[in-house]
Structures are given as structure tokens and as C-alpha cells.
Amino acid sequence: MIDSVLVANRGEIARRVFRTCRDLGLATVAVASDADAADGAPHAREADAAVRLPGAAPADTYLRGDLIVRAALAAGADAVHPGYGFLSENAAFARAVQDAGLVWIGPPPAAIEAMASKTRAKKLMADAGVPLLAPVEAPGEADLPLLVKAAAGGGGRGMRVVRELAALERETEAARAEAASAFGDGEVFVEPYVERARHVEVQVLADAHGEVWALGTRDCSLQRRHQKVIEEAPAPGLGEELTSVLCEAAVAAARAVGYVGAGTVEFLVSHDGRPYFLEMNTRLQVEHPVTELVHGIDLVARQIRIAEGAALPAGGPPPAAGHAVEARLYAEDPARGWRPWTGTVLRLDVPGDVRLDSGVEAGTEVGVHYDPMLAKVVAHAPTRQEAVRKLARALEGARVHGPVTNRSLLVRSLRHEEFVTGQMDTGFYGRYLEELTGANEEASLPLLAAALADAARHGTPRVGGWRNVRSQARTKRFRSEPDGAEREVRYRWERGGTLTPEDQPGVRVVSVSGSLVVLEAEGVRRAFSVAAYGRRVHVDSPLGSHAFTSLPLLPEPESTLAPGSLVAPMPGTVVRLAEGLTPGTEVTAGQPLLWLEAMKMEHEVTSPTEGVLSSLDVTVGQQVTSGDILATVT
């Protein structure tokens, strides 16, 4: 029997596992890097005990299996749960846990090893009769489009779509370099790229007594950079026959490697309904809550009981009931290349009857070292239509203050006709991203609310004596986030201390305070909640959520950069330079010059113009902050 569990992870998944441990009466142990400890990370505070992992970078902390095993022993834990990511699919770590006399809450190391390489896994699945895409050994024009894919790891790292044969060598080298940097293994392979395919997966649960459950399907087709954004269960519109084929193939895959515990078998389903094995994730998935809600099961509790040797209940898995949809809330700007954002979470409140799994709370610092996911919001309802509607409404009404997030994209995606009708595929954001991230035309009233609330917070001006002319209009300047557009609002203080907008004559101010402004426009009255954090202002209303930065009336002097300066768009680490890049190299506009890694994603930095690289100011491995000069092109 297990008495105390160390979670070899952080953030949302650590808190999720701790929640089940408390329900089961188990003691909990957290590990925390210096970056998390300094920030008072919620997962470290919630555990019964926490052990420091010196350093901040994952390679020095959450990827150090020896330190984590030592932490478990020091804190008196008798079991280790890996969560997902980091060392969760590392067979050597699983063996080290077991060799230390601890219980490993995961599949056998041999099963992890069998599925660790996608190329080896494909051979195993072919022998087990699981349908799959064969690798392309000698690509030609007839094979296009192609997908270059890392053999190790996951999360969309080391993947490139190739549509022109001339680009294959360049994209293969790029994928190989990214895979080597991310996973320490540069092996890649090439397979056909299936256009308009859906990403469908099957949750499996197996015990040590030979029983394997398939807990239905999940659709994870809405992805950015090959990473999932919105997931749901069951996958809509598959039909009973295809669902049965997928579930049988998933069970066969699990049996082929002697699987024990919770795992996921992932498939591509082509536009004409043909399934192809992608990979098996030998761990819990980020999107596991949708399966839990539909089947009424706690997958973490099942993992723990299976690790203790218990058999799965007779009679098969619990039947499915209703539909569940999950959205991942990221600190990122989808309109600008999915650029991640750092900063302090100032508020995170999600209304309604939804499940919120979050690794952050008010005061949490979002840094550069870890994934930018703030939370998962999950809705469950009797039908898909109701679940989608409930989730969109909850996200729309959420108070998410601090870093820029993808919240508006999530709401618009959930309400897009292609998603509502269940016709989406993995190319969804490739087709609709510009449409889904377009400027919000409803910003004028929230902007006015921000200005009026600011005026109310600073009090009514004193007016001495009698005057027969109106007071002069006052001006307030703001910068909209994240587009950076600067806007002005003009208003007047009237006799009696009332406020009147100057540039929006059709708008009537019903009431004003420092935190709530009620406006009426064209006969429609709306309330605007205003929260100010220094110069940063967040406005939430039925028209959506807006963030502004208050600016001084007179523009501040700006530092002058040399023409052609290439600055870091975000904090991060320089992980690669273009081959042969040295001062004096001739470059073209848009040519990739270097790559930054931030929040577990690589970001390409390109030349702003054609010219000559006159200076290169960074080296591989160097940490940079937003605005640092990386290079200069003359």
C-alpha cells in the first residue's frame, strides 16, 4: 500500500495529482525549482512537504532524475507519480525509482522504452496489426506533402511540414537540430502528411492482471504548432464502426507492449475516414479531464490503485454519459506567431459550472523556463452543443488579468461554424487564424470606461467661483494590449461632478466609480468592470475583455536603436544560429538568423531587411530579455 506520493512535476498537473492523493488519504511531496520556490508556487505550498531542486532551468531541476529520487527518499515518500512532460516518459528514470525501492505510478519501463522511439513503435504496431502510415524512405514529388518528425519526444517539437521537395533538406536539418536540443536525440523520419486529417486518440487503462480498457475517443484536432489547444470527448461524428476500430487498435497496441497503467494511443483519421497510428503516450495526457467527466472516473486514482496491484473492476469501463470540452488557456499572443508572454498573474477567475485545473493563481509569476499554459477550463453537459456553449460562455466571462492570453481566440474558436458543426481538422488554425485574431471593433466603449474610471479614482476637480463656460476637455492616453496601438479618450467634468464623453456624443454615462462604469449606447445599457494595477488597466464587460496601459499625456523619450537592429521579441535562450552566420554574411529579408527558446517552444528570428550582417551580439546558450539587441543588419 502507498502512503506518501512525490509528484515529479510542477504546476497544474502536480496540483491535479495532489487533489486525488488528498481524497485517497495519501500524504504528498512536491519538488520545486528555485524559480518556483521564489515565486511561492501553488503546487509547492499545497503539498505536505516540498523539496528544493537547486536551479531554474528544467535541465538542472525537473529533468534531474537523481535529484528527484533523492528528494523522495529524504521526504519519506514511498511512491513517485511523474505527471506529464519532463521525465514522465523516461524509462531510465522509472527504473531508478524502482531501484530505489519506490513504487512507480506509471507503466513498466520496458513499455515506455518500446514506445519511446516513434520509428520502433511503428514496427511494433505493424506486427500487432495496428493501421499506420509507412515512413517514406526516398521522397519524390509524388509523395508531397511530407511531414518530417522527431523519433523521440513529443509536444510538436522537431516537426516540419514540407510542401516543396527543394525545402526537404533544410527542414529536415531544422527538425533534427530542434529534436536534439529538446530531447537529446536528433533522429528524425519522414512520412506522408495527411491533409484535412483529424487527430483522434483513445484513452487506455490496463492493470497487471491482463485487463485493458479503452475509455472511448477524444478529438484533439485544434492545434497550434502541432500542440493541442481544444480537446473533447467523445470525438464527434466518427460513427460506431470507426470508433470500434480505433478502440480495438488501441487495446492491441497496449497489449503488444505489456502496458500497465493509464496511457493514450493517438491516431490520424483522414478526410475519408481511414485511421493511422501516430504514437502512444505512455503517461497521463493533458486532456485527460474530458474522459474523466464523460466516464465519471478519476484516472489518477486508478493509476494509484493499479500501482498498488489492484485489478480493474469486472464488467469493463464505466459507460460514457454526455460530452466534455476542454480549452487550454495559454499566456501567449496567437496573432503574433503564438508569442509567449511573461509577467505576473494578477487575477484568474472563471465563472460557471466548469472544471478549472490551474497551476497559477493571483500573484504567480509566469517565467520563461516552463510551458506557458496557465489553466485548463473544462465543461461537461448532456450534449456537445451544450458543452461547447457552456465553455465559450465561461471563458468569455472569465477575469484573466496579467499576461496576454489566448482567451479571445478560444472563445472565437468554440463559436466558429466549422467547430460548432464538428467539421474541424488539424489545419483549422492554418485556415482561420487571421480571422480569429482580428482586431476587436468593440474597443471604444471599454476604452472610455477605462478613462472614466481613472478620472473617478483621482477625484472630482475643484471648480472655484461661477463660470458661464464649460470646463475644458481632458485627455487620457492608452496603449491597447497586445497590438500596441495608442489611443486617446476625451471627457469633461460637468457641474455637479458628472463626467461626459467628448468624442462619443451618442453615449450616456449612467454611473461611474473607480471600479465600475455603466454606459448606455443606442439605448443599450452595459456595465464595465475596471481593474487597475499601476498603469495596467483591465476592462471586462459583455463586449469582451480588454487590456490597456495608461500613458503619460506627453510621450516619453524613446531610446534610439541603430538602423537594422534586430531585438529579442521575448525573454529566452539562444538555442541555434543559422549555419555559417558570422559578421559580414549577406542576408535576405525574412531569412532565419537565429532561434530563441522560451516556454518550451522555439521561435525563429528573421532578418528585417536585405543586407549584410554587421554585428552578431549573442552566442548559443545566452539568456536574453525582451528588447535586447541580437544582431544588426546593414
Side-chain angles (χ1 to χ4, degrees), residues 155-214:
R157 307 292 295 275
M159 294 175 68
R160 298 290 189 280
V161 176
V162 178
R163 300 187 181 278
E164 298 178 1
L165 208 58
L168 179 60
E169 183 178 354
R170 179 180 71 249
E171 296 295 356
T172 299
E173 287 305 312
R176 185 175 288 123
E178 185 177 7
S181 171
F183 315 123
D185 183 346
E187 181 188 356
V188 299
F189 63 95
V190 178
E191 66 182 17
Y193 179 67
V194 183
E195 301 273 17
R196 300 300 298 260
R198 290 174 63 183
H199 186 123
V200 179
E201 59 192 31
V202 177
Q203 175 72 58
V204 295
L205 198 60
D207 62 26
H209 308 281
E211 182 68 21
V212 181
W213 285 358

Side-chain angles (χ1 to χ4, degrees), residues 182-271:
F183 315 123
D185 183 346
E187 181 188 356
V188 299
F189 63 95
V190 178
E191 66 182 17
Y193 179 67
V194 183
E195 301 273 17
R196 300 300 298 260
R198 290 174 63 183
H199 186 123
V200 179
E201 59 192 31
V202 177
Q203 175 72 58
V204 295
L205 198 60
D207 62 26
H209 308 281
E211 182 68 21
V212 181
W213 285 358
L215 287 116
T217 59
R218 296 191 288 250
D219 187 290
C220 309
S221 298
L222 264 62
Q223 303 178 0
R224 81 333 183 218
R225 300 181 68 165
H226 307 292
Q227 292 183 327
K228 301 160 190 173
V229 177
I230 295 176
E231 307 101 341
E232 59 182 302
L238 292 184
E240 290 185 13
E241 184 178 348
L242 181 53
T243 298
S244 179
V245 168
L246 292 169
C247 289
E248 289 173 6
V251 170
R255 291 193 186 282
V257 295
Y259 201 80
V260 176
T264 301
V265 185
E266 302 195 341
F267 300 89
L268 274 182
V269 175
S270 67
H271 197 54

Side-chain angles (χ1 to χ4, degrees), residues 478-479 532-538 548-552 556:
F478 292 96
R479 181 174 61 244
Y533 308 90
R535 291 173 55 191
R536 180 88 165 181
V537 183
H538 286 265
F548 308 103
T549 298
S550 176
L551 300 175
E556 295 175 337

Side-chain angles (χ1 to χ4, degrees), residues 45 65 196 203 249 263 344 411 431 495-496 540 571 625:
R45 291 202 318 271
R196 300 300 298 260
Q203 175 72 58
T344 303
V411 174
R431 294 190 297 276
R495 291 177 184 174
D540 299 291
T625 60

